[in-house]
Amino acid sequence: MSIEFKNITKTYDQAPVLENINAEIENGEFFAVVGPSGCGKSTLLRMLAGLIDITDGIIKINGKQINGLAAKDRNLTMVFQDYALFPFLNVEDNIAFGLKARKMPEEEIKKRVAHALEMVDLSDYKERKPRDLSGGQRQRVALARAIASDAKICLMDEPLSNLDAQLRVKMRSEIRDLQQKLGLTLIYVTHDQIEAMTMADHIMVLNDKHVQQIDTPLGIYNQPANEFVANFFGSPKINILSGNYQSNNHEITIDKYLKIKVNKKLDKNDYVVGIRPNQMDFETIDNLKEGNASVKNVSNLGSQTIVSALLDNGQTVRIVKENQLSIAPGERIKATSRGDAFVFDPEKRNLAAISVGV
Amino acid sequence: MKNQKRVIYNLIIVLTVAFLSLLPVSLLGNKQASAADNSKRIKIVFWHEMTGPAQTQLNEFVKQFNKSQSKYQVVSQFEGTYEEAVQKILNTHESNTSPAVFQSADISVSQLYHSGYITKVQKFIDKDKSFNVNDISSVARAFYSQKGELLGMPFNTSQPVLYYNASLLKKYNITPPPMNPSYSDITRVAKQLYQRSNKKVKGMTMEVYGWLFDQLIANSGNYSVNNQNGRLATPTKASFINSGSLKAMEWIQENVKSGDFINYGSGTNASANEMAAFLSGKLGIFMESSADIGQLTLGMKNQKLGVTYYPHADGQKANGVAIGGAALWISNDKSSEVQQGAWNFIKYLESAKNQATWQKATGYLALNKNSKKTKTLKNLYKKNPALKVPSEQLAKTVPNNSNSGIFVEGIVQERIILNTALDQIYNGSNIKSSLTQAEEAMNSYIKNNNRANGWRY
Amino acid sequence: MEEENNLLDAKKQNILENSKKSILANKISVKKNDKFYALLFLGPSLLLLILFIFYPMLKTIYLSLFLTNGNGQNTVFVGLENYVSLLTSSTYLASLGSTFVYVIGVSVLTIFLGLLLASTASKNVRGSVFFRTIFSSTMGVSISVSAIFWLFIFNPSIGILNQVAAFFHLPILNWSTDPNLAMISVIISTVWMNLGFAFLVLFSAFESLPLSLYEETAIEGVGPVYRFMHVTIPLISPTLFFVSIITLIESFKSFGLIDLMTAGGPNNATNMLVYQIYQNAFLNGNYSQASAESVILTIIIAILTFIQFKYLEKKVSY
Amino acid sequence: MENLNQWTGSKKTWHYLLLIILSLLILGPFIIGLWTSLLPTADISSGKLFIDNISLDNYWAALTQTPIIRYLFNSLFISILTMICQVFFCSLAAYAFVFIDFKYRNFYFYLVLSTMMLPFEAEVIPNFQTIKSLGLLNSYLGMVIPFMTSAFGIFMLRQSFMQMPYELKEAADVEGLSHWQFYLKGALPYSKLSIYTLAAYSFLSAWNQYLWPLLTTFSDDYRPVQVGLRELQSQETFNNWGMIQASAAIIVIPTLIVLYFGQHYFKSGLNEGAVK
């Protein structure tokens, strides 16, 4: 089941919430839609589901235009953030709810519900009411409902955001496994970049009414289309620094020690440079007059250490080292780049060049 | 949650059981009615306002009439007070619930006459050779006639009379009032009763009831509205203030002042309370319709009831009072077949025998001149001569425009207005100013009413 | 060449048609059935409300501008004359006055006694559930039953009140004929009937009071009276307001008890607004007057309801 | 609510005394009514209230000599019919206001809400005409039709539906439930408590209807208890007090049962619908 968005626009009371969205999703793909809250990702999902109208543009499923088709006729399922379980129905009836509404034969319903319960490992809980289940179990009931419906497209709207961190990690792999097993085309909306990175085949980054980038997780990480994408992905957050371009040696200078080589000719003087914290390095300096920064804060995570420091030119940088360090705030350091960096246009904030090593 | 469920189930069960247990009873009720309701019979809906023994007797008449023939089925329905009934009749006209024949009181004569909703009984009298209208009391007929035509057939006719508890009077050694008492005769008895009973027994009362006030005026030969109570032309003004009403109200206030008078207010409850007090020996004298005689005799098992004519002012001859009660009317929104059935029913009720039975059972006066020849009445009078008093009062009355009722629309309004005035007067207000207020209220009502109907005002 | 051109044209044509189709398709809503369902679901209620509330309101206003004849037909247009005569009629003004006395009397007593019952029952002692059931029991009493119970109690000659009074050699009161006493008797009966409801609502407000606040005031050594006035009352004030306004509105609309107990008397002392309407329309056949009275009643109720809405708006999101 | 351990014995006694006094005040009219319903009328009207020849004769008289059973049946029928209609139509309208998107939705809602400002008592004249022209005077339907829906009910259920997570509706849309199906299988069961509250409330208010049946009924076949009792009272000019008190007692019992079971819903529903 392939899906295609073509110039999708959505306005509420004249105010646009989405503009010119284009995307293609392949059959069997795990497609994540990521963006900060309020960026319109849920709206996009609901337009695909047929829950809200499209203002302009075309949505196709398997090459067939489905604008105006009612939700039930689109042959897809949806898993919601709050699970959308009926409190007065037990697990079994919640799963069978839609099937009964579609007047499926009793036998078939039984078979499917049993199968779905088995898939999510809830067979022992089928008599329970939702309020007697834990958050993770409720989420699995919602998944089971999607499984039982037999539709090949599944939409998920932040399905894990109400779970605690540990459970979330576990559910991620469960959902991914299910998707693989059932061969679902899965559209997964989340504001959590890690979820998207770890689960998706392709990611669509949405912000400010527009698609920022559509790519594989690595593609997005390695070649962010713009400053927003670069900022949104990666943890700890990328360092965004301003620097000057010297056309004579194709170099962008942030300060006296922090310099980025650019592999192509640029035409402006000021640029914004993004350097991931793990692409930076530093050494401690004893002489207080030397170096280019002083340490502000140190977080020891055990396997790595995150140091944040204030450059002498007033900009802050985060640096990650893959070992344990004994360093205290106030110490002088000399911060340098290992080489990999993104150069963004200062106005449009689009990717202008990539620096790979020195 | 489980508890709630249980409660709900209980509730549903209780309601269902209640419903199911009532269902057969009410269906049975329906069935009985419909079984008697021979589908071939023509249904004659009859609305009445009779209560107590009168209702029982009336229903008995209906039953007998239905048995006496097989063409019609009279269905009687109680409709509350006279005041409520008139409006119900007008409101439901030409709907599927309106009655074919109905009982409506003196208050509605002009209103029904002008409504155009009735078929005058004169029409049936003229056609029906088997019925001799002259058998019916001419005084009663005059009341319900206009321009020589009988509009409705007088049925339950009463006279306002004065009741006293003869046993109580005897107990306290008080001379009873004369048959045709004056105001001072009554005052004397009332005061003596109050004093000699050590203020335990109230001397007298007159219900706050405009009809009783109107009768005091009639008995003095005056008129309540101009154009001789509307008999000469459409009335344009009320005339509540006249020599008759002033004397009457002064008489009441005299008794109020000396403490022997008790006020029970107005309405159904008032008359019930008044009756209850009289029966329980806490009240000596009251004025009411002669229709109450039946109930009073029933209630006074061990006591003796005294009845006199309606009282009149001192030094004046009684002019006589108007009849009270109601007539039977035929609606013109039913087929001629139904109307004929209604007339047959009326005719049945007016027979000498039935009128005699009626008087015996209720205290309303037999209107058929031949009734007094029946055994029923002869026995009745022999047993309790007091019961003869209202009939004699009626017989002695020479009809004139003062004592033949008021031919004006809005008598209900007039009664309400008068009730307000009476209440004020009983509570010590100035008589003239209370009556002036009442007159003004009535005048503006008459004016608006005449205007609305396109009459002279 | 020509063939190619044709092909191109055909392609263009195709694209054009497609785009037309897509525009058409876009017009179709995924919720195309909603209009139908909205009509189906809302239609019945809306129709009923229009037929039995909006239309009659307009008709009432219309009727109030005419005179009506004996058969209830409106005949002469008189403009606001009915209102003028109403507002200058001492009877009507007196009726307005007694309605206000009644409404205030009923509301104040209902609130006061309701609070007393609710605060007494809110203390958890053994058997309090039993007492709560008793306190709410008058909610199950209908108008006619209440009227009959109280008519007997107030009956001047055989009623229990005067019998007890006689037994103790107290003055016998004439409850049904003394205007003031009649008003009191009607107020007492109404309050008694209202109490169950007022108690139930106020009690649930007491029940939901935060315990911690009580503990704190207990620690601070605040006396019970001070606490009731300064802690409890402000906390339950939304409920208090709700009960007051509902009681006010309902007592302005009182009819049944008055019809059964006093029929507006004695001397019009208990002739409240709705009873006046009934009396004028359905006993006197004076529809125009009754309509004008109806409009005035509506204005009073509308103002009170509006106040209630305004207050609710702060509490409830529409 | 208060630490009862701190209560001294005398304080407790005073509290019980207060509870008992208040209970007697509330129950007084019931007790007097029930007591007199057991006495012979003759004794009541002569003022002998404290006697010992009590019997159920008055009840027997009320049941056999008056149409009280018929009145009760009528009332029950009218109240149940009103209750069903009100729950049905109010919930449909409330559903539309919450789950269906249509033009001028807010306008319609305020329109409905505004009817709460217009008292039915002030509109009886035209409504009488309407019922008359529909040929429904003196019929069950005539007494039910004007009360088949209510702004209060719509408002209350709308509040309750709005508390449902909207995702339930979306899930149902995806599953292919029509509005009708979701109304029946989703909205109604979810808002059970409010539905029961409205049911109890509409039942009681229909049971207590007075003015409207007084105006539109003309025979005992259709009179509900409230009006029936009025007719009984006015017909018994003698004021057969014993029998009338017995009739009142017969009538008050069903409502007390409904109240006993429905108490919880009145309380919660009234708070939900209006205060919170």
Side-chain angles (χ1 to χ4, degrees):
Chain A
M1 293 295 218
S2 66
I3 297 164
E4 193 181 345
F5 293 100
K6 250 179 150 174
N7 294 324
I8 298 296
T9 296
K10 176 72 190 173
T11 54
Y12 281 120
D13 305 325
Q14 254 85 48
V17 280
L18 284 173
E19 265 175 0
N20 271 320
I21 307 295
N22 284 290
E24 281 179 41
I25 299 159
E26 307 250 314
N27 186 20
E29 197 177 333
F30 194 122
F31 189 86
V33 180
V34 189
S37 56
C39 71
K41 52 190 192 297
S42 283
T43 308
L44 186 67
L45 197 72
R46 279 167 171 72
M47 285 195 288
L48 174 58
L51 295 174
I52 53 181
D53 285 333
I54 305 157
T55 310
D56 202 6
I58 295 170
I59 297 182
K60 287 182 178 176
I61 292 180
N62 268 358
K64 241 178 79 189
Q65 183 174 328
I66 53 150
N67 297 31
L69 205 62
K72 58 174 173 140
D73 300 325
R74 298 188 180 193
N75 197 21
L76 39 77
T77 63
M78 194 159 170
V79 177
F80 294 89
Q81 184 174 359
D82 291 322
Y83 324 130
L85 300 179
F86 290 97
F88 49 87
L89 297 179
N90 64 21
V91 168
E92 208 173 9
D93 291 339
N94 256 300
I95 296 171
F97 188 70
L99 305 178
K100 279 184 185 161
R102 284 176 201 249
K103 307 233 155 63
M104 196 175 268
E106 197 85 15
E107 287 288 297
E108 178 73 11
I109 295 179
K110 257 190 181 158
K111 216 176 76 192
R112 286 199 188 192
V113 170
H115 174 242
L117 278 169
E118 211 169 295
M119 291 289 280
V120 298
D121 202 17
L122 277 179
S123 300
D124 295 342
Y125 296 84
K126 61 183 178 187
E127 301 285 342
R128 291 205 188 175
K129 291 274 175 71
R131 67 171 173 277
D132 299 324
L133 298 174
S134 71
Q137 285 167 333
R138 283 182 215 177
Q139 183 58 64
R140 287 221 288 270
V141 177
L143 285 177
R145 190 162 61 187
I147 295 164
S149 96
D150 211 24
K152 285 298 168 210
I153 299 178
C154 181
L155 314 182
M156 297 196 181
D157 185 12
E158 311 221 14
L160 305 182
S161 62
N162 284 348
L163 303 180
D164 61 53
Q166 271 191 320
L167 202 56
R168 218 179 299 167
V169 174
K170 186 170 164 247
M171 287 303 293
R172 269 184 219 155
S173 59
E174 275 186 31
I175 289 175
R176 183 68 175 153
D177 285 352
L178 271 175
Q179 185 252 340
Q180 301 274 330
K181 237 188 262 175
L182 300 170
L184 294 176
T185 306
L186 186 68
I187 322 292
Y188 189 100
V189 162
T190 179
H191 64 271
D192 182 346
Q193 47 104 1
I194 298 177
E195 264 178 27
M197 294 287 287
T198 51
M199 296 165 86
D201 295 318
H202 279 98
I203 296 175
M204 173 199 270
V205 187
L206 269 181
N207 187 41
D208 192 23
K209 301 167 224 158
H210 291 97
V211 174
Q212 304 295 324
Q213 188 172 7
I214 302 176
D215 211 333
T216 60
L218 283 183
I220 285 198
Y221 189 79
N222 293 334
Q223 281 180 302
N226 53 35
E227 188 192 323
F228 172 79
V229 177
N231 225 329
F232 201 79
F233 287 85
S235 174
K237 248 178 156 183
I238 197 167
N239 294 304
I240 301 291
L241 307 162
S242 55
N244 297 319
Y245 174 65
Q246 267 91 41
S247 54
N248 49 354
N249 54 359
H250 295 289
E251 210 175 51
I252 297 176
T253 313
I254 295 154
D255 68 8
K256 59 183 173 184
Y257 299 121
L258 253 178
K259 287 173 187 171
I260 304 293
K261 275 262 187 236
V262 187
N263 53 5
K264 75 184 194 204
K265 195 170 184 289
L266 298 172
D267 49 8
K268 291 181 186 158
N269 287 332
D270 298 325
Y271 279 93
V272 174
V273 177
I275 311 171
R276 299 220 183 263
N278 59 4
Q279 289 302 314
M280 290 195 68
D281 204 352
F282 68 87
E283 49 190 88
T284 46
I285 306 285
D286 292 336
N287 189 339
L288 286 177
K289 283 177 189 158
E290 294 287 309
N292 62 351
S294 42
V295 175
K296 265 175 57 191
N297 194 13
V298 182
S299 313
N300 250 312
L301 299 182
S303 64
Q304 53 177 214
T305 308
I306 303 165
V307 173
S308 82
L310 187 67
L311 292 177
D312 291 343
N313 63 9
Q315 307 192 68
T316 306
V317 288
R318 283 171 300 277
I319 305 161
V320 170
K321 284 224 178 191
E322 299 298 324
N323 51 9
Q324 297 181 0
L325 288 178
S326 54
I327 186 168
E331 283 188 52
R332 284 297 287 179
I333 54 168
K334 178 175 142 192
T336 53
S337 159
R338 289 186 183 172
D340 285 9
F342 309 113
V343 179
F344 301 108
D345 184 283
E347 279 97 40
K348 292 183 184 160
R349 304 272 161 170
N350 285 338
L351 192 64
I354 293 181
S355 148
V356 189
V358 186
Chain B
M1 199 61 194
K2 264 186 189 152
N3 194 34
Q4 277 169 21
K5 222 178 207 171
R6 213 192 59 220
V7 167
I8 289 299
Y9 288 149
N10 281 344
L11 186 62
I12 290 168
I13 289 166
V14 167
L15 280 178
T16 322
V17 167
F19 195 75
L20 288 180
S21 61
L22 288 180
L23 197 63
V25 181
S26 44
L27 283 184
L28 208 72
N30 262 357
K31 241 190 190 155
Q32 278 171 346
S34 60
D37 214 357
N38 208 323
S39 57
K40 279 178 216 151
R41 289 180 171 219
I42 298 164
K43 196 174 150 193
I44 313 282
V45 175
F46 167 46
W47 282 7
H48 70 86
E49 296 88 52
M50 294 284 88
T51 62
Q55 183 177 31
T56 314
Q57 181 56 49
L58 192 54
N59 284 335
E60 186 57 34
F61 281 147
V62 169
K63 218 162 125 193
Q64 283 169 10
F65 176 74
N66 286 338
K67 236 192 237 168
S68 74
Q69 42 76 47
S70 59
K71 196 172 177 194
Y72 306 107
Q73 175 76 25
V74 173
V75 180
S76 72
Q77 288 167 0
F78 173 71
E79 298 303 334
T81 63
Y82 288 141
E83 287 87 343
E84 288 171 59
V86 185
Q87 222 46 47
K88 283 185 183 181
I89 288 153
L90 295 174
N91 283 339
T92 56
H93 192 72
E94 274 177 2
S95 78
N96 49 5
T97 46
S98 67
V101 52
F102 57 87
Q103 183 190 23
S104 191
D106 50 356
I107 53 172
S108 60
V109 178
S110 169
Q111 210 170 359
L112 288 172
Y113 174 73
H114 288 117
S115 73
Y117 289 173
I118 55 154
T119 306
K120 294 168 187 156
V121 290
Q122 189 69 45
K123 209 181 124 191
F124 297 95
I125 293 167
D126 293 346
K127 275 196 297 191
D128 197 333
K129 300 286 173 246
S130 71
F131 183 76
N132 183 9
V133 76
N134 292 324
D135 285 347
I136 307 300
S137 152
S138 60
V139 183
R141 272 187 289 137
F143 193 99
Y144 293 103
S145 296
Q146 183 70 356
K147 293 175 186 157
E149 284 184 314
L150 194 58
L151 309 174
M153 180 62 77
F155 168 57
N156 56 319
T157 300
S158 64
Q159 290 268 285
V161 289
L162 183 140
Y163 298 107
Y164 63 90
N165 189 328
S167 305
L168 264 183
L169 262 57
K170 203 173 171 192
K171 181 180 168 195
Y172 292 112
N173 203 13
I174 300 162
T175 319
M179 182 56 76
N180 192 353
S182 69
Y183 293 160
S184 59
D185 290 330
I186 301 304
T187 307
R188 170 189 59 86
V189 178
K191 275 184 179 166
Q192 284 176 343
L193 199 51
Y194 187 58
Q195 297 302 333
R196 294 184 190 177
S197 70
N198 230 341
K199 301 192 177 181
K200 267 187 185 146
V201 179
K202 285 283 184 179
M204 68 171 294
T205 188
M206 180 176 106
E207 193 193 335
V208 173
Y209 185 17
W211 180 66
L212 296 171
F213 176 86
D214 280 335
Q215 301 316 316
L216 288 170
I217 290 183
N219 212 13
S220 73
N222 286 286
Y223 302 102
S224 294
V225 299
N226 71 353
N227 295 332
Q228 297 204 354
N229 273 351
R231 289 291 173 183
L232 301 181
T234 310
T236 55
K237 281 208 156 38
S239 53
F240 298 147
I241 302 179
N242 52 53
S243 58
S245 66
L246 290 176
K247 272 184 193 153
M249 290 301 104
E250 279 157 14
W251 167 54
I252 297 277
Q253 275 198 342
E254 186 195 341
N255 283 288
V256 171
K257 256 181 222 152
S258 52
D260 61 74
F261 186 94
I262 179 168
N263 174 12
Y264 286 100
S266 57
T268 332
N269 291 329
S271 43
N273 289 340
E274 177 187 82
M275 185 89 78
F278 185 76
L279 291 179
S280 59
K282 290 173 180 162
L283 171 69
I285 298 170
F286 75 110
M287 286 170 275
E288 242 354 306
S289 153
S290 61
D292 288 347
I293 286 188
Q295 286 180 38
L296 286 169
T297 37
L298 250 175
M300 299 181 76
K301 279 171 205 146
N302 309 317
Q303 301 174 82
K304 212 176 152 238
L305 176 70
V307 186
T308 74
Y309 293 177
Y310 210 56
H312 57 85
D314 293 80
Q316 224 177 33
K317 242 190 103 186
N319 177 49
V321 288
I323 58 161
L328 298 173
W329 309 70
I330 296 174
S331 300
N332 65 6
D333 63 348
K334 297 284 181 285
S335 71
S336 58
E337 224 178 354
V338 173
Q339 291 189 31
Q340 184 59 45
W343 167 247
N344 287 0
F345 177 58
I346 292 177
K347 225 165 56 176
Y348 176 82
L349 293 177
E350 299 289 324
S351 75
K353 182 178 149 258
N354 284 338
Q355 280 292 312
T357 313
W358 183 234
Q359 172 161 4
K360 187 189 173 201
T362 65
Y364 284 117
L365 311 173
L367 285 175
N368 197 311
K369 285 172 185 161
N370 301 323
S371 292
K372 63 182 170 216
K373 295 175 202 153
T374 60
K375 245 187 186 161
T376 321
L377 277 194
K378 280 181 183 162
N379 286 344
L380 186 71
Y381 290 154
K382 204 187 280 170
K383 213 171 138 196
N384 194 345
L387 299 185
K388 223 175 170 178
V389 175
S391 296
E392 285 169 3
Q393 185 179 223
L394 181 69
K396 277 189 181 169
T397 305
V398 184
N400 55 38
N401 284 348
S402 167
N403 62 20
S404 289
I406 310 168
F407 199 76
V408 66
E409 293 208 5
I411 294 191
V412 177
Q413 184 75 21
E414 187 235 26
R415 297 275 153 85
I416 292 168
I417 290 169
L418 282 177
N419 286 357
T420 309
L422 287 179
D423 230 326
Q424 288 170 354
I425 292 167
Y426 290 7
N427 282 307
S429 299
N430 180 281
I431 295 170
K432 251 198 178 147
S433 68
S434 294
L435 289 179
T436 309
Q437 250 178 30
E439 262 188 9
E440 279 167 1
M442 191 60 197
N443 286 344
S444 90
Y445 177 82
I446 293 175
K447 187 183 156 193
N448 268 350
N449 190 59
N450 288 0
R451 230 170 120 199
N453 286 297
W455 302 333
R456 200 166 50 87
Y457 57 89
Chain C
M1 235 359 226
E2 239 182 59
E3 255 185 38
E4 263 187 49
N5 264 345
N6 280 345
L7 214 76
L8 266 173
D9 278 349
K11 262 188 182 170
K12 263 188 195 166
Q13 196 71 30
N14 218 349
I15 289 166
L16 260 172
E17 261 176 25
N18 271 346
S19 66
K20 255 188 207 165
K21 260 187 206 159
S22 81
I23 290 167
L24 275 174
N26 282 342
K27 296 258 158 140
I28 302 168
S29 160
V30 290
K31 299 188 170 176
K32 56 195 158 200
N33 270 332
D34 275 14
K35 229 185 209 166
F36 165 74
Y37 272 106
L39 194 72
L40 192 71
F41 279 34
L42 192 55
S45 282
L46 217 54
L47 193 75
L48 286 165
L49 291 176
I50 288 170
L51 191 60
F52 291 105
I53 297 192
F54 288 116
Y55 161 73
M57 197 65 246
L58 295 177
K59 185 79 186 285
T60 303
I61 295 171
Y62 175 80
L63 285 176
S64 73
L65 305 174
F66 286 83
L67 289 181
T68 40
N69 69 8
N71 294 353
Q73 292 140 342
N74 42 322
T75 47
V76 185
F77 178 82
V78 292
L80 295 177
E81 202 179 288
N82 286 318
Y83 294 93
V84 173
S85 65
L86 261 191
L87 295 172
T88 52
S89 134
S90 57
T91 320
Y92 188 72
L93 293 179
S95 157
L96 262 179
S98 52
T99 307
F100 279 112
V101 169
Y102 170 79
V103 165
I104 298 297
V106 165
S107 304
V108 168
L109 278 176
T110 303
I111 292 296
F112 175 76
L113 291 174
L115 271 177
L116 182 65
L117 290 180
S119 64
T120 313
S122 69
K123 296 202 171 62
N124 278 313
V125 292
R126 188 173 295 170
S128 54
V129 176
F130 170 72
F131 286 109
R132 282 168 206 165
T133 310
I134 289 176
F135 288 176
S136 61
S137 61
T138 64
M139 204 178 159
V141 181
S142 53
I143 290 164
S144 59
V145 172
S146 171
I148 283 171
F149 283 171
W150 286 101
L151 268 177
F152 181 73
I153 292 171
F154 288 124
N155 188 301
S157 46
I158 58 172
I160 191 107
L161 223 53
N162 276 347
Q163 294 217 25
V164 172
F167 184 79
F168 290 108
H169 299 287
L170 293 169
I172 304 274
L173 298 174
N174 216 335
W175 289 94
S176 58
T177 51
D178 182 305
N180 294 327
L181 290 178
M183 174 63 89
I184 290 170
S185 71
V186 177
I187 289 177
I188 289 176
S189 328
T190 314
V191 169
W192 182 73
M193 250 182 81
N194 285 352
L195 265 185
F197 170 82
F199 163 74
L200 216 55
V201 179
L202 287 172
F203 173 69
S204 64
F206 271 92
E207 244 186 343
S208 58
L209 285 178
L211 198 67
S212 57
L213 248 156
Y214 271 77
E215 284 165 350
E216 197 195 289
T217 51
I219 291 165
E220 285 173 8
V222 174
V225 175
Y226 185 88
R227 184 179 62 193
F228 187 78
M229 295 311 293
H230 291 89
V231 180
T232 310
I233 292 287
L235 277 175
I236 62 163
S237 64
T239 313
L240 216 51
F241 175 82
F242 169 71
V243 177
S244 319
I245 198 110
I246 290 278
T247 312
L248 273 177
I249 292 174
E250 286 307 311
S251 15
F252 266 110
K253 298 198 282 191
S254 281
F255 171 75
L257 266 181
I258 291 152
D259 180 49
L260 285 160
M261 289 186 70
T262 63
N267 193 10
N268 281 331
T270 57
N271 199 343
M272 319 288 182
L273 294 179
V274 178
Y275 193 80
Q276 277 249 323
I277 294 171
Y278 167 75
Q279 199 177 49
N280 268 323
F282 295 93
L283 294 184
N284 303 346
N286 191 348
Y287 293 100
S288 47
Q289 190 92 333
S291 298
E293 287 167 358
S294 297
V295 172
I296 292 174
L297 174 73
T298 305
I299 292 169
I300 294 172
I301 299 290
I303 292 171
L304 283 171
T305 318
F306 187 75
I307 294 170
Q308 187 192 7
F309 283 172
K310 274 284 144 206
Y311 186 81
L312 276 178
E313 214 164 24
K314 283 186 225 156
K315 299 262 146 201
V316 190
S317 55
Y318 284 112
Chain D
M1 207 162 261
E2 224 169 315
N3 195 346
L4 286 171
N5 296 334
Q6 289 173 359
W7 272 36
T8 57
S10 77
K11 218 173 172 187
K12 235 178 186 173
T13 314
W14 281 115
H15 186 72
Y16 274 113
L17 198 66
L18 185 62
L19 278 172
I20 288 164
I21 289 171
L22 289 174
S23 297
L24 283 178
L25 280 179
I26 296 287
L27 289 181
F30 284 115
I31 296 167
I32 295 165
L34 287 176
W35 174 250
T36 42
S37 72
L38 300 170
L39 303 179
T41 292
D43 287 326
I44 301 172
S45 39
S46 54
K48 291 178 212 142
L49 291 188
F50 306 101
I51 50 165
D52 57 359
N53 63 350
I54 58 167
S55 73
L56 289 174
D57 289 354
N58 287 323
Y59 287 86
W60 183 243
L63 289 173
T64 52
Q65 289 167 23
T66 72
I68 186 123
I69 292 290
R70 179 77 203 187
Y71 294 155
L72 264 175
F73 174 81
N74 292 341
S75 264
L76 209 54
F77 187 79
I78 294 161
S79 304
I80 289 176
L81 197 61
T82 309
M83 177 179 83
I84 292 170
C85 288
Q86 235 183 68
V87 166
F88 183 62
F89 288 121
C90 289
S91 59
L92 278 181
Y95 179 95
F97 282 128
V98 177
F99 293 112
I100 302 180
D101 204 18
F102 56 95
K103 250 190 178 176
Y104 310 122
R105 190 164 74 169
N106 275 348
F107 166 76
Y108 284 118
F109 178 64
Y110 283 109
L111 194 72
V112 167
L113 209 60
S114 70
T115 60
M116 283 169 89
M117 301 171 85
L118 308 175
F120 186 83
E121 288 79 357
E123 309 183 317
V124 285
I125 298 163
N127 280 335
F128 183 91
Q129 304 288 344
T130 306
I131 291 293
K132 181 185 173 184
S133 55
L134 290 173
L136 292 177
L137 284 177
N138 206 29
S139 72
Y140 290 131
L141 211 53
M143 280 181 277
V144 171
I145 273 194
F147 307 102
M148 289 206 301
T149 191
S150 82
F152 170 76
I154 294 173
F155 178 69
M156 195 179 89
L157 292 184
R158 177 177 170 272
Q159 291 297 109
S160 155
F161 286 157
M162 280 192 334
Q163 279 164 20
M164 280 176 78
Y166 198 73
E167 286 184 347
L168 285 177
K169 170 71 178 121
E170 292 184 324
D173 279 352
V174 173
E175 303 271 20
L177 270 79
S178 65
H179 278 302
W180 177 246
Q181 281 175 310
F182 183 65
Y183 161 77
L184 274 183
K185 293 178 180 162
L188 286 191
Y190 196 95
S191 307
K192 248 190 323 209
L193 199 66
S194 299
I195 298 283
Y196 292 150
T197 305
L198 180 65
Y201 186 84
S202 55
F203 182 91
L204 261 203
S205 52
W207 186 273
N208 276 325
Q209 282 284 349
Y210 184 83
L211 178 59
W212 187 241
L214 176 67
L215 298 180
T216 59
T217 55
F218 301 95
S219 73
D220 285 337
D221 292 345
Y222 297 103
R223 281 186 187 120
V225 278
Q226 308 306 332
V227 177
L229 219 50
R230 176 191 201 258
E231 301 305 328
L232 276 190
Q233 197 208 346
S234 66
Q235 285 174 67
E236 299 301 324
T237 4
F238 234 151
N239 267 358
N240 192 341
W241 269 110
M243 192 178 82
I244 286 176
Q245 297 277 36
S247 313
I250 293 170
I251 284 163
V252 83
I253 288 161
T255 33
L256 283 181
I257 293 172
V258 172
L259 178 82
Y260 178 76
F261 288 111
Q263 213 183 83
H264 175 73
Y265 301 103
F266 284 110
K267 208 166 68 178
S268 62
L270 289 166
N271 277 354
E272 291 282 326
V275 182
K276 270 180 198 159

